[in-house]
Amino acid sequence: MTIDAPIEDELTIAGMTCGGCAARIQGHLDGLDGVEAALVNFATGRATIRHAPSVDRHVLTGAVESLGYTVVERDEGDRAEEAREQELRRRLVFAGVLAAPAMALSMLMSLQFDGWEWLVAGLSIPVILWSGWPFHRAAILNLRHRATTMDTLVSMGSLSALGWSLVVLLVGVGDGHVYFETGAVIVTLILLGKWFEVRAKRRSGDAIRALADLGAKTALLEDGREVSLDDLVVGMRFKVRPGEKIATDGTVVDGVSAVDASMVTGEPVPVEVGIGDEVIGATINTSGSLTVEATRVGADTALAQIIRLVDEAQGSRAEIQRLADRVSAVFVPLAIITAVVTLVSWLGVGQPAGEAFTAAVAVLIIACPCALGLATPLGIMVGTGRGAQLGVIIKGGEVLEDTRAIDAVVVDKTGTLTQASMVVSEMVAPELDDATAERVARLAGAAEAHSEHPIAAAIAAAYPDQADVEGFENQPGLGIVATVDGCPVRVGRRLLFDEVPAAVEASASAAEAGGATVVLAGRARTAEIVLVVNDQVKPTSAAAIAALHDQGLTITLLTGDNARTASAVARAVGIGDRPGDGVIAEVLPADKAQVVATMQAEGHRVAMVGDGINDAPALAQADLGIAVGTGTDVAIEASDLTVVSGDLRGVADAIALSRRTLTVIKGNLFWAFAYNAAAIPLAASGVLNPMIAAGAMGLSSLFVVSNSLRLRRFAGYRRS
């Protein structure tokens, strides 16, 4: 019997006003038959639902709309948010125009005249009822489903002020004081806070929207035709003139130029490119003309994948959010109970009804958990968006928490610390004549042409040969075995050979002592020649290691290369300058993950940085996997963080940004909790009146918003 695998749907939801709305929708979706898990993100306005194939999308949409919210198309989400901002602004302006004179009449005795209360009522009632209608509507919908949210508190507070004031004015009970202006000012201040909040949410998504707008709209083909980007297919060749955007990912087939990739990779300096170099779509050609052959189009391009990854990250939920969710779920009912207890207590000790009522309304207003609902998702949104601008892709909220605990970094050598542009600098054959040595080298070059390893590419380039290759076999971490023109050939490490003559071993050891990488090659099972390969250290690697040290991290160089070469590279970049640093060399790909596991067993929280297929197991094993984006798709898929550029300083940026984002989120949550914990007792004791409470509630949300938006100024090590 086969069980159909669950599928995942995403809904864009309009009409959510607070974190409580998101929690209610999520709970309702979770309760549907066939739904495994639902995640609703208030900041992004999206719900992700994992469910059985038997559950129709219309069922999910109907469940959301039954709660009073609207499901819109994905591309309509931004328009819906913009429309909501405009509606809030209209209601806010209307409220401000009427609430200001109402408050002035109520607060300044010099302006009061006989019957002034009726004028204040006339000014305030439209504000409470029309400007505050979004809160009342949401509260009514919530009440139908026996739920409460922030809107419930705002609606109850403002309508209570209105109701009590009408009773006092019409019936003459109490001390004669009316609170019309209190209800109007409450609605006005909370509308002001919500308007700022919506604007901030839209600004927090500016980074990803800017990325989406980066792409070129057309491409100029080699034959002079201009085609839409949608009509571009893999294999087509297009021209890029100076100052133009590169239409899509591709390989340069003609021309030399410098490409500004800063908006995609975070690299502040244009990169020189020439024939054979890969370029990323949407980057800018700054100088010479280029002809590029398209290798990826549409959703497969680097830019499209970055947008997808960031979009998924912004919809994720950090573990720390669960605490906020649990608190928010009980906060509103608890606030209503507290308000009732406050009212009864004040009346019970003989206080005037008006003062008792004022204290109860203040409790309702001050308890609104708006800031709690925004604290985590807004921080994640801004942090991941800023990361995308810097070429750092954070794959989710959980990654932020994992990053904070990291104390050790394991770094791959080839392609991560070094250029991975290997060059054969010398060939040594101590026991062969020149012609035979050249013949063996060309056999090795023909065999290595079938391998994708950077060292293999260097050997194939140095000794090109079109000989027939059969029985090619790649032995990970050791080398290759093949039959070239009928001759058995081996190319790789010492362990690949049955016999390594003493003279060959001496030549190899001498080259390794100078920091070079050596590859042995020979016919049959005997090593006959030594190919000396050099790989230059990236000019930014030393600065990157220093930046990681600055963050209190110990660094281990992990490589399959020989110990001498590994130690030379480590010394060049500064690994070993801090106690706890180390070098682990001659490690087979299958064993890299075990090295990480051993470090974890010793109590370390390990981040692994790599760029190749052979790094994928270690990236997955590590507490935090960081892929250098110039590497393979497999490595990127296995990682938690991706640095789009090949600059290792981007790794330091990624860790620093993740830590900064988590710090901001924790600061948001602390002040949201502290604000409510301190303010509710003050409101219940009569120290805070409802208008001050409404202003304070709005300020708490504005603090969370402004604190999160500080992440937009994060610069990183590459721009310092």
Side-chain angles (χ1 to χ4, degrees):
M1 177 180 174
T2 60
I3 300 176
D4 291 337
I7 60 176
E8 198 169 89
D9 257 318
E10 187 177 271
L11 304 178
T12 301
I13 302 172
M16 290 192 292
T17 58
C18 68
C21 296
R24 189 159 69 89
I25 296 170
Q26 181 172 311
H28 190 58
L29 290 171
D30 272 330
L32 296 177
D33 290 338
V35 172
E36 287 191 5
L39 174 64
V40 181
N41 189 303
F42 170 53
T44 61
R46 290 198 298 275
T48 304
I49 308 105
R50 184 177 174 83
H51 59 84
S54 58
V55 179
D56 191 87
R57 182 181 175 90
H58 294 297
V59 173
L60 304 176
T61 301
V64 173
E65 292 181 340
S66 71
L67 298 177
Y69 304 95
T70 305
V71 176
V72 298
E73 292 299 323
R74 178 66 176 274
D75 57 359
E76 293 178 3
D78 284 341
R79 289 195 292 272
E81 200 71 4
E82 184 179 358
R84 182 166 179 248
E85 180 187 344
Q86 292 173 350
E87 181 193 5
L88 284 172
R89 184 168 62 244
R90 285 195 301 270
R91 294 182 185 272
L92 173 61
V93 170
F94 180 82
V97 169
L98 297 185
M103 185 172 65
L105 278 170
S106 301
M107 304 292 290
L108 302 175
M109 294 185 63
S110 59
L111 298 179
Q112 294 174 0
F113 51 85
D114 289 341
W116 65 269
E117 296 94 342
W118 291 96
L119 178 57
V120 171
L123 292 170
S124 301
I125 290 174
V127 174
I128 296 171
L129 296 182
W130 185 79
S131 292
W133 173 243
F135 306 118
H136 307 317
R137 177 181 177 276
I140 293 168
L141 290 171
N142 292 333
L143 186 60
R144 289 178 184 172
H145 296 277
R146 300 177 183 176
T148 54
T149 65
M150 181 274 292
D151 301 300
T152 308
L153 298 181
V154 175
S155 180
M156 287 183 64
S158 59
L159 290 178
S160 296
L162 173 60
W164 176 259
S165 299
L166 286 174
V167 170
V168 170
L169 186 61
L170 298 174
V171 181
V173 300
D175 57 5
H177 190 79
V178 293
Y179 297 91
F180 291 113
E181 83 290 347
T182 299
V185 172
I186 287 171
V187 168
T188 303
L189 290 176
I190 293 177
L191 278 174
L192 178 63
K194 298 302 291 183
W195 180 62
F196 276 124
E197 179 185 305
V198 171
R199 288 191 68 197
K201 281 174 58 182
R202 296 191 67 226
R203 284 184 65 197
S204 68
D206 283 348
I208 197 66
R209 280 191 290 271
L211 283 175
D213 292 339
L214 273 180
K217 307 304 180 188
T218 60
L220 179 65
L221 300 183
E222 264 189 319
D223 60 10
R225 288 183 298 128
E226 189 169 11
V227 298
S228 167
L229 212 59
D230 295 335
D231 296 329
L232 201 61
V233 298
V234 173
M236 280 187 173
R237 293 188 174 187
F238 57 92
K239 291 186 174 293
V240 189
R241 293 168 294 201
E244 291 183 338
K245 292 179 180 178
I246 296 173
T248 192
D249 296 1
T251 302
V252 177
V253 294
D254 187 38
V256 176
S257 183
V259 173
D260 180 0
S262 57
M263 272 298 289
V264 177
T265 67
E267 296 277 12
V269 179
V271 179
E272 296 290 334
V273 298
I275 296 174
D277 289 332
E278 293 184 356
V279 290
I280 300 174
T283 55
I284 299 173
N285 178 28
T286 62
S287 50
S289 295
L290 297 174
T291 301
V292 179
E293 182 175 302
T295 56
R296 289 186 290 191
V297 297
D300 296 327
T301 63
L303 180 62
Q305 292 180 45
I306 289 170
I307 293 171
R308 176 180 59 81
L309 289 171
V310 175
D311 198 47
E312 290 174 356
Q314 292 189 337
S316 69
R317 175 168 300 195
E319 184 70 22
I320 197 172
Q321 176 68 15
R322 293 186 181 180
L323 175 61
D325 288 344
R326 288 196 294 268
V327 171
S328 295
V330 300
F331 214 88
V332 174
L334 188 61
I336 294 172
I337 293 171
T338 303
V340 173
V341 170
T342 299
L343 178 63
V344 172
S345 299
W346 277 62
L347 293 175
V349 297
Q351 294 294 326
E355 293 183 13
F357 165 79
T358 301
V361 170
V363 170
L364 287 174
I365 300 304
I366 205 73
C368 291
C370 275
L372 280 178
L374 281 174
T376 301
L378 196 60
I380 291 175
M381 249 187 118
V382 180
T384 52
R386 180 56 181 154
Q389 291 178 320
L390 295 174
V392 173
I393 311 303
I394 303 170
K395 289 195 176 178
E398 302 87 351
V399 175
L400 303 174
E401 290 162 318
D402 292 338
T403 304
R404 191 172 185 84
I406 294 301
D407 64 345
V409 178
V410 175
V411 185
D412 176 52
K413 179 179 76 68
T414 305
T416 304
L417 286 172
T418 62
Q419 298 278 20
S421 54
M422 314 294 283
V423 179
V424 177
S425 59
E426 186 180 8
M427 186 263 285
V428 183
E431 296 183 342
L432 301 179
D433 59 68
D434 290 347
T436 305
E438 181 71 16
R439 168 65 177 157
V440 173
R442 290 198 171 275
L443 291 174
E448 290 284 41
H450 291 260
S451 172
E452 296 181 353
H453 195 282
I455 293 178
I459 295 172
Y463 298 98
D465 199 291
Q466 300 298 319
D468 292 332
V469 177
E470 299 175 348
F472 178 87
E473 180 186 349
N474 180 33
Q475 298 189 11
L478 295 177
I480 62 165
V481 177
T483 299
V484 183
D485 278 348
C487 178
V489 176
R490 292 183 174 232
V491 189
R493 294 172 57 184
R494 293 169 175 83
L495 294 175
L496 189 65
F497 298 89
D498 292 345
E499 182 181 353
V500 180
V504 173
E505 174 61 38
S507 298
S509 297
E512 289 173 343
T517 296
V518 300
V519 177
L520 306 183
R523 294 162 293 182
R525 296 175 177 272
T526 300
E528 296 177 294
I529 64 173
V530 178
L531 297 168
V532 181
V533 183
N534 288 290
D535 181 16
Q536 292 184 334
V537 173
K538 292 179 181 178
T540 57
S541 291
I545 297 301
L548 293 171
H549 280 155
D550 285 344
Q551 296 180 52
L553 301 166
T554 60
I555 303 169
T556 299
L557 174 59
L558 180 65
T559 179
D561 211 341
N562 69 80
R564 291 191 184 95
T565 301
S567 296
V569 171
R571 287 193 300 272
V573 300
I575 295 177
D577 292 350
R578 177 183 290 272
D581 285 0
V583 177
I584 303 176
E586 301 181 23
V587 180
L588 295 175
D591 296 332
K592 286 187 175 183
Q594 184 56 49
V595 171
V596 173
T598 300
M599 294 177 67
Q600 290 170 325
E602 293 171 352
H604 292 290
R605 299 279 288 179
V606 182
M608 170 70 193
V609 184
D611 75 322
I613 292 175
N614 61 356
D615 297 321
L619 288 167
Q621 172 66 41
D623 298 291
L624 181 70
I626 305 176
V628 177
T630 51
T632 66
D633 291 339
V634 175
I636 294 170
E637 190 64 33
S639 68
D640 303 302
L641 283 169
T642 299
V643 178
V644 180
S645 76
D647 188 340
L648 194 63
R649 290 178 299 174
V651 174
D653 287 347
I655 294 175
L657 176 60
S658 295
R659 289 180 168 183
R660 181 81 61 84
T661 302
L662 186 60
T663 298
V664 164
I665 289 172
K666 287 188 171 182
N668 288 347
L669 288 172
F670 171 79
W671 287 109
F673 281 124
Y675 154 79
N676 285 116
I680 289 177
L682 292 176
S685 62
V687 174
L688 294 178
N689 69 44
M691 287 186 288
I692 295 177
M697 192 211 75
L699 288 174
S700 72
S701 292
L702 289 179
F703 170 82
V704 166
V705 166
S706 59
N707 192 42
S708 298
L709 290 177
R710 288 192 304 119
L711 290 167
R712 290 160 60 101
R713 299 196 298 270
F714 178 86
Y717 290 93
R718 287 173 289 175
R719 296 172 183 268
S720 58

